[in-house]
Amino acid sequence: MSQPDPDAWRRQVRQWLATVLEPAPAPESTAQAADLAVFHNLPEDEERLLLDRCRAYQRARFDAGYQALTLPEDKGGAGLSAAHVAVFAQEESAFEVPPSTELISVTVRLVAMAVSLFGTDEQRHGHARAFLRTDLLACQLFSEPGAGSDLAALRTRARQDGDEWVIDGQKVWTSGAQFADYGLLLARTDPDVVKQAGITAFLVPMDAPGVEVRPIRQMSGGASFNEVFLNGVRVPDRLRIGRPGQGWEVANATLAFERTASGSGNRRKGGTFPDVLALARSLGRTGDPLVRQRLADLYVRAALRAATVDRVARTSAAGGRPGPEASLTKLMASELLTRTGQVAAELMGARISADTGEPGTFAWTQHLLGAPGYRLAGGTDQIQRNLIGERVLKLPPEPRVDRAPFSQLPGD
């Protein structure tokens, strides 16, 4: 089936967006009022209201056929190219889109895609479609206290009992778990093979007996992350995603989608170059040659990141799984966030340590406290560099000492 011409399709997208959204305000009118937080820091009732706004837009987008644009039609998507994704993002940026949340992004761009690619026809119809439309929300139950960067070392266990699996373990740093209907969980089902081969993926109902969610209070004051404890949780085999032992493949595809989402810039995270420039102007610092040099450097890095995101999007195969190039955009995104906060802090000096009432100053603390966490989400910067080195630059891999069956590794 031939794909629509991107230019003609652009006009169609613009007309539809105008029916559901208001035009975006001028950049200069939002510079001082911008939300500079990297991660949301809202009370529970406000977070629920934000989720409702996000879900209303996602449902309208799904119903109009603009959700999961590159996912093949037989898997519930639109079957379009990465160029169409870029066109949609460009047109969407001209409108006031409800600010998204980590949970919405995880549901639509990670879990829904994983279930669409690896799930059965029944799972695609009953769950993936509901995730894409946000009728159901899903969190990601991957990281554990002892298995973050080395995710394959996870120790949450699942043993089969008839037509059910019994799961015991602990997950951590789970965004939005307190609001999610399901969690995409990785568990060890075979300890007698190498660690990557003995993992299976499941959809776990978050209201199942034995699931306990405990919010983690962050240094910024919010609690958008959670610990999740699983004690004898029974999950029917029909909620297993992929074959037993295929969990590592599911995880790699999901993490690639996460890195693409993290690095794409489709959702504002923290302060941006225009925010820093507005700050420098408000403080009367733009005449300082050193400040101008730092601003120019920040601008160039932001432009390079945008160009790289566009290049990766345009060269991605339509409907294919993101490759290791996603690590590059993720790494650039986290480094840009860090540098943006550093330049803002240098401009303000002591102003950033206390709220003096000056607009757009103390608010930068939300950016500074959140940016380090973004260097961990979706895989640490060090992991991204390893992936780029080994899979993009084809450098020799690092020495490995964990090739034995998982049950024979130290600490098991």
Side-chain angles (χ1 to χ4, degrees):
M1 180 178 177
S2 62
Q3 296 186 348
D5 174 73
D7 290 332
W9 190 74
R10 179 188 296 273
R11 291 191 293 273
Q12 172 187 319
V13 168
R14 186 183 305 147
Q15 291 171 357
W16 175 77
L17 287 168
T19 66
V20 295
L21 298 172
E22 296 294 327
E28 57 270 17
S29 68
T30 61
Q32 294 298 327
D35 179 8
L36 302 177
V38 176
F39 298 101
H40 285 297
N41 183 15
L42 298 173
E44 181 174 331
D45 56 343
E46 292 184 28
E47 185 83 14
R48 289 189 182 279
L49 289 174
L50 178 58
L51 283 171
D52 289 342
R53 290 178 58 201
C54 295
R55 296 173 82 169
Y57 174 62
Q58 295 297 330
R59 287 164 179 162
R61 181 171 164 170
F62 179 92
D63 292 344
Y66 295 121
Q67 197 76 294
L69 293 174
T70 61
L71 194 67
E73 290 184 82
D74 63 348
K75 296 188 182 297
L80 299 178
S81 70
H84 290 85
V85 175
V87 166
F88 190 92
Q90 291 166 4
E91 292 302 319
E92 192 182 49
S93 66
F95 293 85
E96 194 166 7
V97 181
S100 190
T101 71
E102 295 297 324
L103 182 57
I104 293 292
S105 181
V106 168
T107 299
V108 174
R109 304 183 68 177
L110 277 63
V111 178
M113 300 297 279
V115 176
S116 296
L117 290 174
F118 295 96
T120 62
D121 289 341
E122 180 183 355
Q123 289 168 343
R124 279 195 288 269
H125 179 75
H127 291 90
R129 184 182 186 279
F131 292 146
L132 286 171
R133 198 174 182 271
T134 66
D135 293 331
L136 295 173
L137 298 177
C139 60
Q140 182 178 301
L141 298 170
F142 282 16
S143 295
E144 299 183 5
S149 296
D150 186 11
L151 181 60
L154 63 87
R155 298 179 181 276
T156 293
R157 302 292 182 101
R159 60 177 177 83
Q160 193 163 12
D161 182 15
D163 292 334
E164 294 182 318
W165 294 82
V166 182
I167 301 174
D168 294 279
Q170 178 187 357
K171 300 293 180 176
V172 74
W173 305 122
T174 305
S175 300
Q178 66 271 53
F179 305 110
D181 300 292
Y182 284 87
L184 178 62
L185 176 137
L186 299 177
R188 187 161 305 284
T189 51
D190 186 353
D192 297 322
V193 294
V194 294
K195 60 183 183 180
Q196 291 86 355
I199 298 171
T200 303
F202 301 89
L203 278 179
V204 177
M206 295 302 289
D207 60 355
V211 176
E212 180 185 357
V213 177
R214 299 181 189 174
I216 298 173
R217 185 66 58 186
Q218 300 151 226
M219 62 182 176
S220 60
S224 57
F225 301 110
N226 303 271
E227 293 179 286
V228 178
F229 296 85
L230 304 110
N231 184 17
V233 178
R234 290 186 169 270
V235 175
D237 187 60
R238 60 182 172 79
L239 291 181
R240 170 174 44 84
I241 304 299
R243 304 182 308 275
Q246 197 181 8
W248 189 242
E249 184 181 352
V250 175
N252 276 314
T254 306
L255 290 171
F257 283 121
E258 181 175 11
R259 288 157 191 156
T260 301
S262 297
S264 67
N266 288 343
R267 179 175 79 81
R268 177 189 175 101
K269 298 179 179 72
T272 63
F273 170 76
D275 298 322
V276 179
L277 180 60
L279 175 65
R281 286 171 172 165
S282 68
L283 298 175
R285 301 289 304 280
T286 53
D288 185 326
L290 292 178
V291 169
R292 294 172 69 87
Q293 185 179 43
R294 296 302 300 272
L295 290 172
D297 176 77
L298 193 62
Y299 173 81
V300 169
R301 290 177 182 275
L304 284 173
R305 173 177 168 264
T308 303
V309 167
D310 183 68
R311 178 174 61 82
V312 170
R314 290 181 180 278
T315 56
S316 295
R321 303 172 194 172
E325 298 83 0
S327 293
L328 183 60
T329 57
K330 166 61 170 64
L331 183 61
M332 294 180 76
S334 62
E335 288 191 337
L336 181 61
L337 273 177
T338 299
R339 286 182 178 271
T340 298
Q342 290 172 344
V343 175
E346 290 173 5
L347 285 170
M348 285 181 285
R351 286 182 176 89
I352 201 168
S353 62
D355 190 357
T356 62
E358 295 175 271
T361 55
F362 187 67
W364 277 96
T365 58
Q366 290 291 324
H367 179 110
L368 289 172
L369 294 175
Y374 203 71
R375 302 184 74 165
L376 305 178
T380 65
D381 287 0
Q382 290 80 5
I383 291 295
Q384 307 310 325
R385 289 188 173 93
N386 280 352
L387 292 172
I388 293 167
E390 295 178 13
R391 302 182 188 179
V392 179
L393 301 178
K394 306 302 181 184
L395 297 176
E398 290 189 344
R400 302 292 297 271
V401 295
D402 55 358
R403 300 294 188 186
F406 181 78
S407 58
Q408 298 177 19
L409 296 178
D412 183 49

